């Protein structure tokens, strides 16, 4: 009998590991495919796709993060809950509620496509919006099945369906866009081929989930379902309100893209730009999105690895250990986010040329890259706040952040164009970071980021930046040729130099202790570096 808790604990850990690995793969794929797509479709083609992407992003987030998490939580806690819902009650209610929501969202987007495209000042986008609308119809079944499997701690169906969905989506986007461009179709037809990936990917994920249901004979559970009206109301409330709270952090980046989709193009037109010029510069501005996503994935994967540890200390009521782990989560986020942000700033010119074929918008993208620091901190802060049991605080702060982004765009874009939009993004994320930190300070009542650690991070980024700038000057002096191949060599060497200088400076200065490194993914390698470095200094 004594072995049962250990088996359960091991199963939970293994399930969480599978789901986390799938989430990282999905995020990397979601960011990385945009680079070849921009190369294929050009800046205007990229603008077209990015205008409608946020509408798909909401559907994907709700069907992978928001609703499945709540459903799984209701199933996993049904025995300990005072409500004592049956699994069938949870599943049938979830399907009915989510079907109602998805039909309403489909109808709003499909029937309102002309109005939304008109608001964006680009009527040609209506056809793309109607294609995206169908992705909402796939949401109910996908969410219920993922939530069910997660609720019984079987993470493989959810993880494999998410990865398969994203792989087929990316494949569809790149294959169809390549074919349509080579056959000479218009940029908007190429865009339709790209957004079709949201449907092919969604169907793939759904088919895989249904296959798991059939193979594991779980379909028997879905027969002869009935539910009490009282239970229906209680489950519906939990599903809607908790679903919003759980998925809000996943929606932050998408909501900011929403703001830019809805009015950045029209604001650029008001500055005197022509139609095609404004579309092209919006596409150049959108180059920052994959950079932001990739940078955030790196920092977020490190910080979120500590969230289960934090939750464990919340349950055990060990205040000192809880404080130490929260400090570590924020320090990791600030370190990785800061290094990625400043690293991109000083290497942006060759990176821009390497990834996107030219150096248009380099200054704007350098400004935009600063967002990586703040989004990395936001993700960690929001995760910690939710671990402490304050689920709706991130919702309120996100609303403030999105409102700030909208207002700052109105003020800055008329004067600074896409550089103004990038500055608005950075400032709005900064506001959110400060608000999250204030909330944490109110609840923790302790200093969460020590001055010594801030100085070490600043020192490390300055050294890194200086080393890369010096390398760039030498490289450009030695090679006057302006080719993409040379830009690639310059970018990769510059990134390597910057990473090496930052890591050596930060670790040697004692930013992380040996015990702290053992809690961080890949920390064991850095731990060996500390021990080796210490032995060398002792020998000297």
């Amino acid at each position: 009998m004594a072995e049962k808790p250990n088996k359960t604990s091991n199963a939970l850990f293994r399930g969480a590991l599978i789901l986390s690995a799938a989430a990282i793969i999905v995020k990397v794929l979601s960011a990385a495919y945009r680079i070849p797509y921009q190369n294929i479709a050009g800046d205007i083609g990229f603008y077209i796709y990015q205008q409608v992407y946020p509408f798909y992003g909401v559907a994907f987030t709700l069907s992978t993060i928001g609703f499945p998490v709540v459903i799984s939580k209701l199933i996993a806690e049904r025995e300990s809950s005072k409500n004592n819902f049956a699994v069938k009650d949870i599943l049938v209610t979830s399907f009915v509620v989510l079907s109602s929501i998805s039909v309403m969202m489909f109808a709003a987007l499909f029937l309102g496509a002309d109005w939304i495209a008109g608001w964006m000042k680009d009527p040609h986008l209506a056809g793309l919006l109607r294609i995206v609308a169908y992705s909402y119809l796939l949401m109910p079944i996908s969410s219920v099945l993922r939530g069910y499997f997660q609720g019984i701690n079987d993470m493989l169906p959810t993880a494999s369906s998410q990865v398969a969905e994203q792989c087929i989506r990316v494949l569809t986007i790149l294959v169809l866009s390549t074919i349509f461009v080579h056959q000479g179709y218009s940029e908007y037809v190429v865009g339709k081929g790209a957004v079709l990936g949201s449907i092919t990917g969604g169907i793939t994920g759904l088919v895989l989930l249904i296959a798991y249901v059939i193979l594991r004979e779980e379909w028997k559970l879905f027969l002869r379902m009935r539910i009490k009206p009282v239970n229906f109301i209680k489950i519906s409330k939990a599903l809607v309100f908790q679903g919003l709270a759980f998925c809000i952090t996943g929606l932050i980046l998408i909501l900011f893209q929403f703001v830019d989709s809805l009015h950045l193009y029209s604001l650029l037109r008001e500055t005197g730009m022509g139609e095609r010029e404004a579309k092209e510069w919006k596409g150049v501005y959108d180059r920052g999105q994959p950079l932001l996503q990739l940078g955030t994935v790196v920092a977020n994967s490190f910080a979120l690895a500590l969230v289960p540890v934090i939750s464990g200390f919340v349950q055990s009521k060990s205040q000192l250990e809880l404080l130490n782990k929260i400090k570590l989560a924020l320090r990791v986020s600030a370190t990785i986010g800061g290094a990625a942000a400043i690293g991109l700033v000083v290497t942006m010119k060759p990176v821009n040329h390497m990834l996107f074929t030219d150096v248009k918008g380099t200054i704007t993208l350098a400004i935009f890259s600063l967002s990586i620091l703040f989004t990395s901190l936001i993700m960690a802060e929001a995760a910690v706040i939710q671990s402490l049991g304050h689920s709706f605080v991130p919702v309120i702060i996100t609303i403030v952040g999105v409102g700030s982004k909208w207002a700052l765009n109105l003020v800055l874009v008329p004067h600074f164009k896409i550089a103004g939009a990038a500055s608005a993004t950075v400032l709005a994320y900064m506001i959110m970071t400060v608000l999250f930190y204030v909330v944490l300070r109110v609840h923790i009542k302790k200093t969460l980021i020590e001055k010594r650690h801030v100085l070490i991070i600043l020192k490390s980024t300055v050294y890194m930046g200086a080393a890369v700038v010096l390398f760039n000057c030498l490289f450009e002096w030695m090679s006057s040729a302006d080719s993409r191949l040379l830009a690639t060599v310059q970018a990769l060497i510059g990134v390597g130099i910057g990473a090496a200088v930052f890591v050596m400076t930060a670790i040697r200065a004692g930013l992380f202790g040996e015990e702290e490194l053992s809690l961080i993914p890949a920390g064991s390698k850095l731990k060996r570096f500390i021990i080796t470095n210490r032995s060398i200094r002792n020998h000297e």
Side-chain angles (χ1 to χ4, degrees), residues 215-452:
L215 290 172
R216 299 185 182 182
E217 298 187 352
E218 300 286 354
W219 55 270
K220 296 175 183 177
L221 185 67
F222 296 85
L223 298 177
R224 296 187 299 277
M225 288 191 170
R226 296 177 182 177
I227 185 169
K228 300 175 184 177
V230 176
N231 288 349
F232 183 88
I233 295 170
K234 289 180 180 178
I235 295 170
S236 298
K237 285 181 179 178
L239 192 65
V240 174
F241 291 108
Q242 291 184 35
L244 176 63
F246 275 112
C247 72
I248 197 66
T249 52
L251 284 173
I252 289 172
L253 300 185
I254 295 169
L255 292 174
F256 271 60
Q257 291 179 61
F258 245 124
V259 173
D260 287 323
S261 291
L262 290 174
H263 76 168
L264 178 53
Y265 169 70
S266 61
L267 288 173
L268 291 174
R269 291 296 308 278
E270 289 172 11
T271 66
M273 285 188 185
E275 181 179 326
R276 192 165 184 84
E277 184 186 11
K279 290 176 182 178
E280 184 175 342
W281 281 109
K282 170 60 167 60
V284 171
Y285 169 81
D286 284 331
R287 294 179 185 184
Q289 295 300 336
L291 300 177
L292 174 59
Q293 283 184 279
L294 286 172
T296 304
V297 165
V298 174
N300 205 25
S301 62
F302 275 78
L304 293 185
L306 296 170
V307 172
V309 179
I310 292 170
S311 299
F313 286 118
V314 170
Q315 296 296 324
S316 66
K317 296 182 169 54
S318 177
Q319 294 299 315
L320 180 60
E321 289 295 330
L322 174 63
L323 176 62
N324 289 336
K325 296 308 175 285
I326 291 174
K327 284 183 175 182
L328 181 58
L330 296 181
R331 203 184 326 148
V332 168
S333 296
T335 302
I336 306 299
I342 303 303
L344 267 177
V345 168
V346 294
T347 58
M348 184 50 71
K349 184 179 178 181
V351 166
N352 194 13
H353 196 179
M354 174 182 73
L355 297 179
F356 302 109
T357 73
D358 57 43
V359 295
K360 286 181 182 176
T362 293
I363 294 175
T364 293
L365 296 177
I367 296 170
F368 195 92
S369 296
L370 295 173
S371 300
I372 295 172
L373 169 60
F374 300 112
T375 52
S376 299
L377 283 168
I378 286 168
M379 297 301 175
E381 290 170 332
V384 170
I385 287 172
Q386 287 180 327
S387 297
L388 295 174
H390 306 287
S391 299
F392 288 96
V393 170
V395 177
I396 297 168
I397 294 177
T398 299
I399 292 171
V400 173
V402 172
S404 300
K405 164 65 176 169
W406 185 284
L408 287 165
N409 265 7
L410 295 175
V411 173
L412 297 176
V413 173
H415 298 288
F416 305 105
K417 300 179 181 177
I418 60 170
S423 301
T425 298
V426 174
L427 291 171
Y429 281 135
M430 188 188 301
I431 291 168
M432 291 180 67
T433 303
V434 172
L435 290 176
F436 274 119
Y437 186 79
V438 169
V439 171
L440 277 175
R441 278 297 306 270
V442 168
H443 287 97
I444 302 298
K445 298 181 176 64
K446 299 283 184 181
T447 300
L448 300 175
I449 301 180
E450 296 178 13
K451 183 179 178 181
R452 181 177 72 87

Side-chain angles (χ1 to χ4, degrees), residues 18-146:
I18 290 171
L19 214 53
S20 298
I24 292 171
I25 293 169
V26 166
K27 287 177 182 177
V28 170
L29 283 171
S30 180
Y33 79 87
R34 298 177 196 223
I35 295 167
Y37 180 73
Q38 184 274 343
N39 287 208
I40 295 166
D43 287 320
I44 293 180
F46 197 43
Y47 146 82
I48 292 167
Y49 178 77
Q50 279 295 128
Q51 286 295 92
V52 300
Y53 169 78
F55 294 91
Y56 163 74
V58 170
F60 182 76
T61 303
L62 291 176
S63 63
T64 57
I65 300 175
F67 294 128
V69 170
V70 180
I71 294 168
S72 66
K73 188 169 178 285
L74 289 170
I75 292 172
E77 297 176 354
R78 67 190 183 281
E79 292 179 358
S80 59
S81 171
K82 62 181 180 180
N83 295 314
N84 196 24
F85 299 129
V87 173
K88 289 186 177 183
D89 288 352
I90 297 168
L91 294 178
V92 73
T93 301
S94 299
F95 181 74
V96 171
V97 171
L98 295 186
S99 294
S100 302
I101 292 173
S102 68
V103 168
M104 286 189 290
M105 296 179 85
F106 166 79
L109 188 53
F110 190 88
L111 299 176
D114 290 319
W115 180 81
I116 295 169
W119 190 3
M120 293 178 174
K121 306 298 182 185
D122 189 350
H124 299 295
L125 294 173
L128 283 80
L129 290 170
R130 289 192 180 94
I131 295 173
V132 173
Y134 286 98
S135 61
Y136 286 91
L137 296 179
L138 302 173
M139 184 178 71
I141 302 177
S142 296
S143 298
V144 170
L145 294 181
R146 283 174 177 145

